Amino acid sequence: MEFSDRYAASLTDDGRYRLLVEAVTDYAIYMLDPNGIITSWNPGAERFKGYTASEIIGHHFSRFYSESDRADGLPERALETARKEGKFESEGWRIRKDGTKFWAYVIIDPIRAPDGSVVGYAKITRDLTERRNAQLNLDQHREALLHSQKMEAIGQLTGGIAHDFNNLLMAVMGSLELMRKRLPDDPKLHTLLENAMQGARRGSTLTQRMLAFARRQDLVQTAVDIPNLIRGMTELLQRSLGPSIDIQTQFPLVIAPALTDANQLEMALLNLAVNARDAMPDGGQIVIAAREESVSEQNRLALAPGSYICLSVEDGGTGMDTDTLRRAAEPFFTTKGPGKGTGLGLSMVHGLTEQCGGRFVLQSAAGKGTTAELWLPVAKPKLSVTPPALQIVQPTPDQESLIVLAVDDDILVLTNTIAMLEDLGHVGLAASSAKEALAILQTRDGIDLVITDQAMPHTTGLQLITDIKTQWPDLPVILATGYAELERGAGDNVTKLPKPFTQAELGREITEMNRRSPRKGAGQVLKFRQGAVS
């Protein structure tokens, strides 16, 4: 017989059990007497909880529970459940010797004498902290992904609605402008007309907010000095919020500029400040702060690695519960009463930060106020750019009439644009598609300007402009769009006219375009405007 076999045979069952328990280091295995006093302690228990056997044997096992759990009687209930039901099983926070917490999976089994009485308990504990953290991290990323997909779907729907609404507003506003010139001198009619125009303008503002949420607004992103921008609008904020609100700012002495659209950021801050005021009906303090942070590859906000400016607006107001917080940035969702909010303010902020490559984060709890964070990328330093040389071209004498080709797939907008052009004294040609526009250009001489929509079936406005420049490189083109879903950098050298536009805006752009065009005539004009279509 081998030595190991002789040794194993000589061991009692109790000895084998003790060797097994003492060899386990991934589980804390120890015994309790009927009152919960610790009577044994294995190496796994020492590794998890930090106590040596001499330090802990003879003490009550409730030492591993938090004060709140002990006050609630959880240790006693655990033993009672094991005694009555044959087992106690649970997960929860437990306390190590050094006071730190770990997430434990616990099983307590009663040990019974032959007569059925409980003579002690066997307790097994496993440290699941890493697994729990990994699961929480996975759940957070899954929730973030679902939220992102939901917001993307809503954004696509919102952007499409805004596009169609812009076209309707174009027809309404243009027709009202032309009617104004033809109405008799009746004050009542002019009042009604002005009311209609005001409603159309409010609709235009609404579509801009919708486009902001859908990340389809045209941004002018520059390096923005956040502290200077806030200081410049402090008076406006204070006047808008009223005397019951105290505005405090907290900025470091030196902070990098953020890459964003200054005008849109001012609107976003005003929206957040007004929301903060509304959450404090009895007045209070709003803190506007900024800090610079470096974001690593793995981060809770799913941002691209790099440096960011975190601009925050914090209030001490009523706060939001979990359900309200989850829906807060959705378009048209509002907790304000009827007529007191469009539900697009936070949506606009969300769209701005996303379009800039950042994130919008809301932190709030009922009764504990709200903190809104705008994470914006730090503007990278750029090499100095030499201004373009002045180009000398022949000036264009003022012409009373131009031949303008208008391209739009929406018949209402197209009809309205032609009417505006003709009222301005120009000759308007209509094309309802890019294909029709190219056919007109190939068969009709003397066209001075093309105005095209961007979002059209089969061919976009930018694609049409590319085709036009290939065959008629000197023909001026204006891109008219309220649906600025362009890739970053696309169309930078194209003159744009935002929809819905007024007749005055259309007239100014045509005059400026005609002045810049080298096609027209004699003399000399200094051409300053960078990126002008020629």
Side-chain angles (χ1 to χ4, degrees):
M1 180 181 291
E2 296 293 333
F3 171 77
S4 59
D5 295 334
R6 291 197 306 273
Y7 175 72
S10 68
L11 291 176
T12 64
D13 289 342
D14 185 61
R16 291 194 184 97
Y17 171 75
R18 184 174 295 107
L19 284 175
L20 173 64
V21 170
E22 290 181 354
V24 174
T25 59
D26 290 337
Y27 292 82
I29 304 175
Y30 53 96
M31 307 293 292
L32 307 175
D33 72 8
N35 297 316
I37 302 299
I38 299 167
T39 60
S40 71
W41 195 248
N42 82 324
E46 181 174 341
R47 186 170 74 86
F48 285 178
K49 305 193 179 186
Y51 296 96
T52 63
S54 61
E55 291 175 316
I56 198 65
I57 290 178
H59 293 271
H60 197 272
F61 82 109
S62 61
R63 174 172 294 200
F64 311 131
Y65 288 73
S66 66
E67 288 186 10
S68 60
D69 284 343
R70 289 198 297 268
D72 195 40
L74 181 57
E76 291 77 13
R77 284 204 308 275
L79 296 183
E80 183 67 15
T81 300
R83 185 183 66 80
K84 289 183 175 180
E85 300 181 9
K87 177 184 285 188
F88 173 80
E89 188 173 0
S90 72
E91 291 186 16
W93 290 112
R94 298 294 182 267
I95 311 297
R96 296 187 177 96
K97 178 183 176 181
D98 61 6
T100 58
K101 292 182 177 182
F102 69 100
W103 189 258
Y105 171 66
V106 175
I107 296 178
I108 302 176
D109 287 307
I111 301 172
R112 299 184 184 275
D115 62 1
S117 62
V118 174
V119 297
Y121 298 91
K123 189 170 187 293
I124 301 176
T125 303
R126 186 179 181 188
D127 186 353
L128 299 182
T129 306
E130 290 186 5
R131 192 179 79 174
R132 179 178 184 272
N133 290 341
Q135 184 61 47
L136 288 175
N137 188 49
L138 178 62
D139 291 344
Q140 288 173 353
H141 279 78
R142 184 183 292 115
E143 184 177 351
L145 176 61
L146 291 174
H147 180 72
S148 176
Q149 291 173 337
K150 174 183 176 181
M151 296 299 275
E152 183 66 27
I154 296 175
Q156 291 178 359
L157 174 63
T158 305
I161 292 172
H163 172 244
D164 292 342
F165 195 32
N166 258 338
N167 282 345
L168 295 173
L169 288 172
M170 271 292 305
V172 171
M173 293 176 70
S175 298
L176 289 173
E177 280 193 309
L178 295 176
M179 284 174 59
R180 179 184 296 175
K181 296 182 178 182
R182 292 162 173 77
L183 281 177
D185 190 15
D186 185 336
K188 290 185 178 180
L189 288 178
H190 283 279
T191 299
L192 293 173
L193 183 65
E194 185 57 34
N195 283 344
M197 284 295 295
Q198 287 292 342
R201 292 189 190 104
R202 287 176 61 180
S204 177
T205 301
L206 183 65
T207 59
Q208 293 307 309
R209 291 188 174 187
M210 292 167 68
L211 289 171
F213 166 73
R215 286 168 280 168
R216 290 167 182 168
Q217 61 182 341
D218 217 359
L219 294 183
V220 181
Q221 296 191 58
T222 57
V224 177
D225 186 322
I226 296 296
N228 279 345
L229 181 137
I230 303 299
R231 282 190 285 267
M233 62 181 302
T234 299
E235 184 179 348
L236 169 64
L237 285 171
Q238 193 64 73
R239 192 167 60 247
S240 301
L241 302 181
S244 64
I245 301 298
D246 178 33
I247 302 174
Q248 298 290 324
T249 57
Q250 296 177 1
F251 304 124
L253 293 177
V254 178
I255 187 169
L259 182 63
T260 186
D261 184 308
N263 292 331
Q264 294 294 330
L265 182 58
E266 286 183 346
M267 287 180 57
L269 284 170
L270 185 58
N271 265 314
L272 293 175
V274 169
N275 282 348
R277 178 205 62 190
D278 292 345
M280 299 185 293
D282 298 325
Q285 185 180 84
I286 295 175
V287 179
I288 303 176
R291 66 183 187 274
E292 184 175 351
E293 286 199 16
S294 294
V295 171
S296 60
E297 187 73 35
Q298 299 293 331
N299 60 85
R300 64 183 178 86
L301 302 179
L303 287 165
S307 296
Y308 292 83
I309 303 299
C310 178
L311 174 61
S312 63
V313 178
E314 180 181 0
D315 67 67
T318 54
M320 292 178 274
D321 58 30
T322 304
D323 291 337
T324 303
L325 180 62
R326 187 181 299 113
R327 299 189 59 196
E330 293 181 9
F332 307 113
F333 177 78
T334 179
T335 58
K336 300 178 182 179
K340 295 183 179 180
T342 63
L344 285 170
L346 295 184
S347 303
M348 185 271 289
V349 181
H350 166 85
L352 170 65
T353 54
E354 292 283 329
Q355 197 169 353
C356 291
R359 288 289 183 274
F360 176 49
V361 180
L362 274 176
Q363 300 174 14
S364 186
K368 296 184 178 180
T370 300
T371 299
E373 293 181 345
L374 288 76
W375 290 76
L376 300 167
V378 166
K380 297 179 180 179
K382 296 182 179 179
L383 298 175
S384 59
V385 180
T386 303
L390 297 178
Q391 302 176 26
I392 300 178
V393 297
Q394 303 300 325
T396 304
D398 292 336
Q399 293 188 3
E400 294 182 359
S401 179
L402 300 176
I403 301 176
V404 182
L405 174 60
V407 189
D408 202 302
D409 63 307
D410 191 304
I411 191 63
L412 290 176
V413 176
L414 187 59
T415 302
N416 185 75
T417 304
I418 294 297
M420 283 183 170
L421 290 169
E422 292 177 347
D423 190 68
L424 289 169
H426 303 300
V427 175
L429 303 178
S432 59
S433 67
K435 181 178 180 181
E436 185 179 353
L438 291 173
I440 292 174
L441 287 169
Q442 288 167 352
T443 58
R444 175 72 182 263
D445 292 330
I447 294 177
D448 300 300
L449 174 67
V450 176
I451 300 175
T452 178
D453 185 29
Q454 163 65 7
M456 297 185 293
H458 309 302
T459 304
T460 67
L462 285 180
Q463 291 171 331
L464 174 59
I465 291 173
T466 299
D467 292 339
I468 290 174
K469 290 303 175 184
T470 301
Q471 301 181 60
W472 303 276
D474 292 333
L475 179 59
V477 184
I478 296 173
L479 183 67
T481 178
Y483 189 67
E485 190 181 25
L486 303 176
E487 296 293 334
R488 185 168 295 182
D492 284 351
N493 61 341
V494 175
T495 299
K496 300 184 185 73
L497 180 61
K499 281 180 166 182
F501 52 81
T502 65
Q503 187 182 37
E505 291 168 340
L506 175 63
R508 281 195 300 269
E509 197 57 56
I510 291 175
T511 300
E512 179 65 16
M513 202 72 175
N514 186 45
R515 185 188 69 80
R516 293 197 309 265
S517 174
R519 305 176 71 238
K520 287 288 179 184
Q524 292 186 344
V525 175
L526 292 180
K527 184 179 176 183
F528 289 94
R529 185 161 174 176
Q530 185 180 11
V533 177
S534 61

